[in-house]
Amino acid sequence: MIDNFALGLTHALMLIAGFLLLRRPDLDHESRRASKDAPKAKPKDERVA
């Protein structure tokens, strides 16, 4: 009985935490600072052997 309660409680808390994290409005928008500070991708040097 205790084992099922402990498993159910921890899983319920993880589901609540995930639900609250997914509801955050800042997940849909990237900040301007992050896009300016991001390193630019360097083109790969493709050599044919």
Side-chain angles (χ1 to χ4, degrees):
M1 176 74 183
I2 298 297
D3 292 330
N4 289 334
F5 174 74
L7 284 172
L9 178 65
T10 56
H11 281 79
L13 290 174
M14 286 189 290
L15 284 172
I16 291 170
F19 178 72
L20 292 175
L21 285 171
L22 289 175
R23 285 187 41 209
R24 291 179 55 152
D26 58 339
L27 288 178
D28 291 334
H29 305 288
E30 292 184 14
S31 67
R32 291 183 183 177
R33 172 177 262 179
S35 62
K36 287 181 183 177
D37 294 339
K40 295 184 179 179
K42 295 180 182 177
K44 292 183 179 179
D45 184 22
E46 296 180 16
R47 295 181 182 174
V48 179

